[in-house]
Amino acid sequence: MTNKEKALALINSFATGDTNIAKEYLTEGYIQHNLAYGTGRDAFIGSVEYLASAPVKTTVKNIRAFEDGNFVFLHTIYNFAGAGEQVAFDVFRFEDGKIAEHWDNLLNVQAPNQSGRTQTDGTTEIKDLDKTEENKVIAENFVTDILVGENPDKLTSYFNGNTYIQHNPSIADGLDGLGAALQAMAEQGIKMIYNKIHYIYGQGNFVLAISEGTFADKPTSYYDLFRVEDGKIAEHWDVMETISNEPQNDNGKF
């Protein structure tokens, strides 16, 4: 099995309750960065067993799956034991064919945005594999220049005119949609601040940027998935999550 197939099998074990998947594909010292859970393989197995015993079945619907070297990153809709649908990005690090480390961001599913787009619909086709590294640089520079704010005057250079498909539930399509959303937040006194990029992963035309900052003065983890087309950012999905101040492990969010 490929690393991507192993990662998909692992997340599907939340629905099937098959603990053998974790026993086979996780290292014993599996490092967990989801701060709501304990770390280690046994803690993961315990979570699978708990969900399997719940009266409402957990559902897992993967939308996109990517592989970048020893890393796999997934875009998925979960409903854990009937608690409600959540959109998630998961990142797995592989070591000698087994999953050694995991990071994620989750957010409740919300209504479509003003342009009628959901948090997960849109293009899924992976292409331009020969441009993976080039596209990673474009996405990283965009986050640095625009979201971190080092060179905000470069905003329009990253897009093909006003063409920008947006899946954030609070922002409409286009640069004008982005501008309107930022203005509305400013009027409400809400600041969205990116301080640091931690990781950049990509496959072909898709790039995932993982960053740290604050939203409305709360420590926040930002996962931004970009689709790059002809050297320009064409489409965007994201999950923002407030970083817990009551962690169940000491590994940190990043």
Side-chain angles (χ1 to χ4, degrees):
M1 294 177 69
T2 66
N3 287 347
K4 186 186 297 186
E5 290 169 336
K6 291 175 184 178
L8 290 171
L10 185 73
I11 65 169
N12 281 322
S13 73
F14 288 131
T16 65
D18 184 358
T19 57
N20 289 322
I21 298 295
K23 293 175 183 177
E24 183 176 357
Y25 295 142
L26 295 184
T27 63
E28 185 174 352
Y30 171 72
I31 301 169
Q32 175 65 265
H33 292 275
N34 183 314
L35 301 181
Y37 294 92
T39 195
R41 183 172 61 192
D42 289 345
F44 188 97
I45 292 170
S47 297
V48 172
E49 291 173 338
Y50 170 78
L51 292 173
S53 68
V56 179
K57 181 178 174 63
T58 291
T59 60
V60 177
K61 180 181 179 182
N62 179 253
I63 309 299
R64 297 174 179 85
F66 309 96
E67 196 163 349
D68 183 356
N70 291 328
F71 294 87
V72 170
F73 56 105
L74 309 176
H75 194 193
T76 304
I77 299 174
Y78 293 104
N79 190 335
F80 293 106
E85 288 190 326
Q86 293 179 298
V87 179
F89 285 109
D90 291 280
V91 177
F92 297 95
R93 179 178 66 84
F94 281 77
E95 192 174 282
D96 298 326
K98 291 195 173 186
I99 298 170
E101 199 164 4
H102 168 254
W103 302 257
D104 66 358
N105 248 26
L106 296 99
L107 179 68
N108 291 340
V109 169
Q110 300 176 42
N113 64 20
Q114 296 174 4
S115 298
R117 305 191 190 279
T118 73
Q119 291 157 279
T120 57
D121 66 356
T123 303
T124 60
E125 180 188 4
I126 301 172
K127 60 182 183 179
D128 300 332
L129 293 178
D130 59 322
K131 296 181 180 178
T132 295
E133 295 306 316
E134 174 185 337
N135 290 338
K136 287 166 68 174
V137 170
I138 291 170
E140 183 174 9
N141 288 344
F142 171 75
V143 175
T144 300
D145 288 338
I146 309 307
L147 300 181
V148 176
E150 291 189 5
N151 296 288
D153 292 342
K154 291 185 177 181
L155 174 64
T156 57
S157 70
Y158 286 99
F159 299 93
N160 181 12
N162 194 41
T163 303
Y164 181 37
I165 300 172
Q166 178 63 260
H167 295 273
N168 181 295
S170 301
I171 306 176
D173 283 354
L175 291 188
D176 48 5
L178 178 61
L182 294 175
Q183 181 178 348
M185 284 194 295
E187 290 172 352
Q188 299 173 58
I190 299 173
K191 294 181 180 180
M192 182 176 66
I193 297 173
Y194 282 64
N195 290 323
K196 180 180 181 180
I197 301 171
H198 283 274
Y199 306 106
I200 299 287
Y201 303 113
Q203 185 178 18
N205 52 331
F206 286 91
V207 180
L208 178 68
I210 299 175
S211 309
E212 180 177 4
T214 59
F215 184 81
D217 299 322
K218 296 180 179 179
T220 300
S221 173
Y222 296 100
Y223 280 50
D224 292 280
L225 179 66
F226 301 98
R227 180 174 63 84
V228 182
E229 185 175 314
D230 298 327
K232 303 291 183 180
I233 294 175
E235 196 163 4
H236 170 254
W237 302 259
D238 67 342
V239 169
M240 296 166 41
E241 183 180 330
T242 301
I243 300 174
S244 172
N245 57 8
E246 297 181 350
Q248 299 302 304
N249 66 64
D250 298 323
N251 298 324
K253 182 68 174 174
F254 303 99

